[in-house]
Amino acid sequence: MKTIAIVATGGTIAGTGKQGKTVAYRAGEMNVDEIIQSIPMIQDIANIKEYQLMNIDSNEMNPQRWIELSRIINEIVQDEHIDGVVVTHGTDTLDETAYFLTLTIHSAKPVVMTGAMRPATATSADGPYNLYQAVCLATHEEAHHQGVMGLFSNTIYSGRDIQKVNNYKIDAFDQKAFGCLGYMQDHEVYFFSKTFKTHTLNSLFSKSSYHDLPSVGIVYFYAGASCQLLYDMAKNHHGIILTGSGSGNYSEEWLSAINDLSSQGIIFVRCSRVAQGIVFDDDIFDPHHYCISGNTLTPQKARVLLMLALTQTTKREEIRKIFNEY
C-alpha cells in the first residue's frame, strides 16, 4: 500500500461551528488527525503520514506561508517512502496557493489540494469525502507528472487553472473554458486531459529557494477610476497587475499613467475583471507594448507569476516570455 503525506493548513475543512449549521463557523479549528478519524475507509487506500503545518483561515495565507508550504512539500517528496502529497486548504485563496505550488514544487509525484465549503460540524460536511478522494487520486499512477492538482466534488483540476466560481455551493470550483483534467467516482480516477503549460519539475522557479518575494499589487479598473490608484500602488510595489474591463482595458488617463510609470521601471501585467476570456497584446490600449498580457490567468494568479518572475529578472521582455510559457 502506498504512503501519502497529508499536509494540513486549516480552512473550512477544519472549521467548527454550531452543530449541523453551515454558516457562522471558524475555519482552522480542528487538527488533521481528527478529520482523518472521520474517514475510516481512508486506511484501506493508503498509509497516511500527517503534517499539521498550520491551522488558519485561508485569508491569512500570504507569500511567506506559501514559501514555507512549498519548502515542506519539497522536503517531503524527497523521501522515497512517500508516494504523494495531499494539502488541505481553505477555499478562498486555494487558487493562489495551488498556482504557487505548481510553479515551485520540484517533483513529478502527485500533489493534490483539497478543502471544503462546509465546516466539519455541518450536516453532510463535504470535507471528508473530498479528502478521501484526494488521497485516492494521490495514489494513482496516472497522477504522476500532472503537476499540482485540485480535487473537489469528484472533479480534478489543474493547479494553474483552478478557480473558485461559487461562494455558496459545494461544487464551487471550475477552470474556465478549458475543461477539467478528469473526474473521480468514489476511489476510481479517470483522466481526460492534461495541462501543457510548464510546471513542477520543468519550472524555472522550482529550482530555486526563496526567503521572500518581490511586492506586486493588483489594481481594479472601474468606470471613472482615478489614475492616482496606479501612482499610489507604485510607491510600494515592484509590479502591478491591471484588472481591466473587457479584454484588460482601461481609460486614456490610465494609459498615460501606465506609460509614465513603465518608464520608471514598474512592470505592468494586463488581466481582465471578466470571468471568461483571454487577454492578448493590444495596440490600442497598450500601443507601446509596455504591458505584459496575462493571457488566461486571473489577476491573483498573474500576481503569483509576476512575483516569481521578478526573482529572476526585471527585464520586461524576459518576463513577457515567462508569461507566454507559464
Side-chain angles (χ1 to χ4, degrees):
M1 198 157 52
K2 292 189 175 182
T3 299
I4 302 299
I6 298 180
V7 181
T9 69
T12 297
I13 192 172
T16 61
K18 189 173 182 179
Q19 198 68 33
K21 300 296 183 181
T22 61
V23 296
Y25 63 88
R26 290 190 177 276
E29 293 285 300
M30 294 175 62
N31 289 330
V32 64
D33 61 323
E34 297 178 76
I35 304 170
I36 293 170
Q37 287 172 20
S38 70
I39 321 168
M41 65 278 199
I42 208 170
Q43 305 298 335
D44 299 327
I45 299 298
N47 297 313
I48 303 298
K49 292 192 68 173
E50 304 165 13
Y51 298 82
Q52 187 71 55
L53 182 61
M54 56 190 84
N55 212 352
I56 60 172
D57 185 301
S58 70
N59 292 294
E60 302 301 326
M61 191 60 72
N62 57 40
Q64 285 299 323
R65 285 173 166 153
W66 287 340
I67 291 169
E68 181 183 7
L69 177 59
S70 178
R71 179 182 59 78
I72 290 296
I73 295 173
N74 275 319
E75 290 178 0
I76 290 172
V77 294
Q78 295 304 311
D79 185 341
E80 62 181 13
H81 301 296
I82 298 293
D83 299 290
V85 178
V86 170
V87 180
T88 60
H89 195 288
T91 60
D92 282 353
T93 64
L94 181 143
D95 60 338
E96 296 171 72
T97 302
Y99 193 40
F100 184 81
L101 296 180
T102 293
L103 298 171
T104 59
I105 296 301
H106 194 71
S107 176
K109 293 181 180 180
V111 176
V112 184
M113 297 192 67
T114 195
M117 290 295 291
R118 295 172 179 169
T121 49
T123 301
S124 299
D126 55 321
Y129 191 61
N130 283 340
L131 181 55
Y132 169 72
Q133 286 198 316
V135 170
C136 293
L137 177 57
T139 66
H140 200 273
E141 285 303 316
E142 290 185 31
H144 288 257
H145 297 283
Q146 294 281 2
V148 174
M149 295 168 284
L151 187 287
F152 281 87
S153 297
N154 299 308
T155 311
I156 307 166
Y157 303 100
S158 77
R160 180 191 185 275
D161 297 315
I162 189 172
Q163 59 180 354
K164 190 172 182 178
V165 298
N166 195 294
N167 63 4
Y168 185 73
K169 297 180 179 179
I170 60 170
D171 187 11
F173 287 85
D174 202 348
Q175 59 174 59
K176 294 197 172 182
F178 302 109
C180 61
L181 298 183
Y183 297 97
M184 294 188 66
Q185 185 178 48
D186 292 330
H187 66 283
E188 298 289 345
V189 178
Y190 302 93
F191 279 104
F192 292 100
S193 65
K194 65 189 301 182
T195 179
F196 290 95
K197 289 295 187 178
T198 304
H199 60 74
T200 51
L201 270 179
N202 295 320
S203 170
L204 167 69
F205 310 109
S206 73
K207 301 172 178 65
S208 301
S209 58
Y210 304 94
H211 300 288
D212 53 29
L213 296 171
S215 181
V216 173
I218 301 176
V219 178
Y220 196 98
F221 178 78
Y222 51 89
S226 169
C227 68
Q228 189 60 45
L229 293 168
L230 300 175
Y231 285 103
D232 290 343
M233 183 68 76
K235 292 176 183 177
N236 299 303
H237 295 83
H238 301 90
I240 297 175
I241 308 299
L242 303 166
T243 307
S245 60
S247 298
N249 306 333
Y250 34 73
S251 65
E252 291 186 5
E253 180 187 11
W254 269 44
L255 174 58
S256 178
I258 290 165
N259 291 343
D260 181 26
L261 290 168
S262 293
S263 68
Q264 299 176 36
I266 300 296
I267 301 295
F268 286 96
V269 176
R270 290 174 56 242
C271 293
S272 176
R273 68 188 197 183
V274 179
Q276 299 285 347
I278 305 173
V279 175
F280 294 110
D281 292 343
D282 192 297
D283 291 335
I284 301 300
F285 288 94
D286 185 28
H288 303 294
H289 291 188
Y290 286 145
C291 296
I292 295 161
S293 299
N295 300 311
T296 60
L297 292 176
T298 59
Q300 61 268 29
K301 289 193 175 185
R303 173 177 174 260
V304 171
L305 182 54
L306 182 55
M307 284 193 290
L308 285 168
L310 285 169
T311 66
Q312 306 294 321
T313 180
T314 57
K315 295 180 179 179
R316 184 182 296 112
E317 292 311 309
E318 292 182 7
I319 296 174
R320 195 187 307 277
K321 290 178 182 177
I322 287 172
F323 269 76
N324 287 333
E325 180 179 352
Y326 292 85

